[in-house]
Amino acid sequence: MPDDGNIRPTDVLSDRPSVAEDGRPLDEGWPTPRWASDRWEGIRRDYAPATVATLAGSFRQRYTLAEMGAEKLWRRLHGVKPVRSLGATTGGQAVQHVRAGLNAIYLSGWQVAADANTAGKTYPDQSLYPADSVPSVVKRINNALLRADQIQHMEKRQGATTANLDFLVPIVADAEAGFGGPLNAFELMKAMIEAGAAGVHFEDQLASEKKCGHMGGKVLVPTSAFVRTLTAARLAADVMGVPTLLLARTDAQAAKLLTSDIDEVDRRFITGQRTVEGFYQTTGGLDYAIARGLAYAPYADLIWCETDTPNIEVAREFATAIRHDFPGKLLAYNCSPSFNWAKYLSQAQMRDFQDRLGEMGYMFQFVTLAGFHSLNLATFDLARAYAARGMAGYSELQQREFAAETHGYTATRHQREVGTTYFDEITRTISAGRSSTTAMTGSTEAAQF
């Protein structure tokens, strides 16, 4: 067939030839990213590369941010230190996380439900918001990071003193229980990749009864049903040609309800009692979480056990069991704000907690609702100071901003922070340098900051 420049289905996922040097077909294997020859080590797919090629369409679209994010996330998770992240709820928060030294962003469905969903409503974490909400916030955060990168790049080319930060950090996003069945999970994974997510996590709850991991009333789907969810998500990433990292979360430690007794993995944890809704009651507990984690490990890049306290021994027991059967399997840990940390750990124990987790293989560690709590407390403190002292109270905020500049904070100059200088440069370019309407010149920010 002549080369007409089109990318065909068999090329969609390929970063390498379809035939080895010795003539051996490579279609029995999975295309390996150039940046990680072991990317698919320990990963199971219950479908063939030919099926992916059939579903991928006749040409390949590129999802640059998702591809680059997956590479960065993979490399950082396989580095010396664990990846530590805070949940961001706005693009501006994500930019500040990077400026402060974090190298990944976590995007919590809880925070999206509370204050950032496309329905414009305030919801608890029960999958009540539209399924496009988290992808929309992923896109919003990536747009904010891109703007920060553009400003920094422009300033460097102009010879200005500026930072030298990698703003395009990977985003790990919350897909909850998939908002339905495997087909819903497939479509949601695609939307996450289109928005630029580097990693996506799913949990093994019943989507129609989904609850925050630290709520009661959680209902699990059978283990095999969640494996189908993971398979659907992996298939979506393969069809789109992006090696997105897939995180599998189990809520089995605390969940006490199950939709069906069909799965052998689940049967020994069923009590025999049924609820008024027909759900099976289970014992819950760490053994159940381990059994499920072991079942999910072949299908996921990272395993996450949702726990009810920050207990290092529980974390160790889970990690030991998973990595005994799956050596090197990466783990994720939710350093949840639902825990009263000072109730369980001393300051010294808290300082060592994450390092000890890292030694066990928990290479992704995150505070899910950091954005919600930091935004609300900071706003409350400002409002309280302003109510009591007027502009003297507000000025205290400004002085803290000025003091933070020595650590890399830049949002004191809010006009520059959001791109005024960037769009001034566009204006000058369009007008061949003769514009009288650039915004920063003559501004109070230029004069006073």
Side-chain angles (χ1 to χ4, degrees):
M1 181 180 293
D3 181 5
D4 57 6
N6 290 325
I7 300 175
R8 292 179 171 77
T10 53
D11 302 324
V12 168
L13 285 173
S14 185
D15 280 328
R16 62 182 184 177
S18 59
V19 178
E21 291 182 1
D22 61 2
R24 178 177 54 85
L26 293 177
D27 58 359
E28 72 269 26
W30 293 96
T32 304
R34 295 184 180 93
W35 40 265
S37 61
D38 58 346
R39 174 64 186 91
W40 305 123
E41 186 175 327
I43 297 300
R44 173 176 172 176
R45 294 168 168 89
D46 294 333
Y47 51 85
T51 300
V52 174
T54 298
L55 296 171
S58 62
F59 66 94
R60 176 179 179 179
Q61 297 184 66
R62 300 303 297 262
Y63 303 96
T64 309
L65 290 176
E67 290 175 359
M68 183 172 62
E71 177 180 354
K72 289 180 179 179
L73 184 59
W74 177 267
R75 291 183 185 276
R76 291 169 189 178
L77 289 170
H78 288 82
V80 175
K81 296 181 179 180
V83 175
R84 294 178 181 173
S85 182
L86 296 173
T89 191
T90 73
Q93 280 190 333
V95 170
Q96 300 312 316
H97 290 177
V98 177
R99 288 200 180 279
L102 299 180
N103 62 3
I105 301 297
Y106 178 71
L107 178 52
S108 157
W110 193 106
Q111 292 188 152
V112 171
D115 206 16
N117 58 77
T118 56
K121 297 182 183 294
T122 298
Y123 284 127
D125 186 19
Q126 296 179 242
S127 288
L128 294 169
Y129 58 84
D132 68 341
S133 296
V134 171
S136 294
V137 181
V138 172
K139 184 176 181 180
R140 174 69 189 92
I141 288 175
N142 269 324
N143 284 341
L145 297 173
L146 284 166
R147 180 70 74 226
D149 174 77
Q150 291 165 348
I151 295 167
Q152 176 181 266
H153 180 73
M154 179 189 71
E155 290 175 345
K156 288 168 65 175
R157 288 184 61 86
Q158 292 173 339
T161 301
T162 190
N164 187 29
L165 299 172
D166 176 9
F167 280 104
L168 302 179
V169 300
I171 299 172
V172 177
D174 183 354
E176 302 210 353
F179 289 82
L183 296 182
N184 302 84
F186 180 88
E187 287 296 292
L188 181 54
M189 187 68 161
K190 287 177 61 180
M192 294 288 200
I193 292 170
E194 289 171 347
V200 180
H201 72 77
F202 290 80
E203 61 203 55
D204 56 4
Q205 294 188 47
L206 177 64
S208 61
E209 293 285 352
K210 181 264 188 297
K211 306 291 193 304
C212 166
H214 299 102
M215 287 179 174
K218 294 186 291 184
V219 181
L220 302 176
V221 296
T223 299
S224 55
F226 187 61
V227 167
R228 286 194 291 275
T229 295
L230 296 174
T231 299
R234 182 75 73 190
L235 177 62
D238 287 341
V239 166
M240 298 184 80
V242 181
T244 310
L245 277 76
L246 181 59
L247 293 77
R249 170 178 135 185
T250 180
D251 285 83
Q253 186 197 36
K256 298 294 178 67
L257 301 175
L258 177 69
T259 60
S260 169
D261 65 350
I262 194 65
D263 198 287
E264 186 175 346
V265 172
D266 301 316
R267 286 176 188 154
R268 65 189 176 100
F269 301 101
I270 296 174
T271 66
Q273 296 173 308
R274 303 285 292 273
T275 70
V276 293
E277 300 90 350
F279 299 132
Y280 291 81
Q281 294 188 356
T282 69
T283 60
L286 186 59
D287 286 346
Y288 194 14
I290 288 171
R292 283 187 165 234
L294 290 170
Y296 305 155
Y299 297 90
D301 298 297
L302 294 94
I303 304 297
W304 163 10
C305 174
E306 191 72 298
T307 60
D308 52 7
T309 61
N311 188 311
I312 200 72
E313 295 308 320
V314 168
R316 187 187 310 281
E317 187 174 347
F318 183 82
T320 299
I322 298 300
R323 302 191 102 194
H324 177 271
D325 286 11
F326 299 93
K329 179 63 67 175
L330 297 174
L331 305 171
Y333 194 92
N334 177 10
C335 299
S336 175
S338 293
F339 304 155
N340 183 342
W341 285 81
K343 179 179 178 180
Y344 294 100
L345 303 175
S346 67
Q347 287 292 315
Q349 288 172 322
M350 281 188 264
R351 282 192 295 270
D352 294 340
F353 188 80
Q354 289 174 290
D355 289 338
R356 296 176 70 186
L357 288 176
E359 293 168 358
M360 301 173 195
Y362 291 94
M363 295 302 288
F364 185 58
Q365 306 169 5
F366 48 104
V367 182
T368 47
L369 315 184
F372 176 87
H373 287 283
S374 62
L375 180 63
N376 280 281
L377 180 59
T379 303
F380 177 81
D381 283 347
L382 172 61
R384 187 165 173 263
Y386 182 66
R389 298 186 297 282
M391 289 313 299
Y394 184 83
S395 179
E396 291 171 0
L397 168 68
Q398 281 190 321
Q399 295 309 307
R400 290 197 300 273
E401 287 188 291
F402 287 131
E405 289 181 354
T406 61
H407 302 292
Y409 181 76
T410 61
T412 316
R413 294 159 177 79
H414 47 262
Q415 307 286 12
R416 177 260 176 204
E417 188 77 4
V418 299
T420 300
T421 54
Y422 180 80
F423 282 94
D424 276 354
E425 184 63 21
I426 293 174
T427 298
R428 280 189 289 270
T429 301
I430 293 169
S431 62
R434 295 189 294 271
S435 175
S436 60
T437 62
T438 54
M440 192 61 80
T441 303
S443 69
T444 56
E445 181 167 300
Q448 299 179 37
F449 290 78

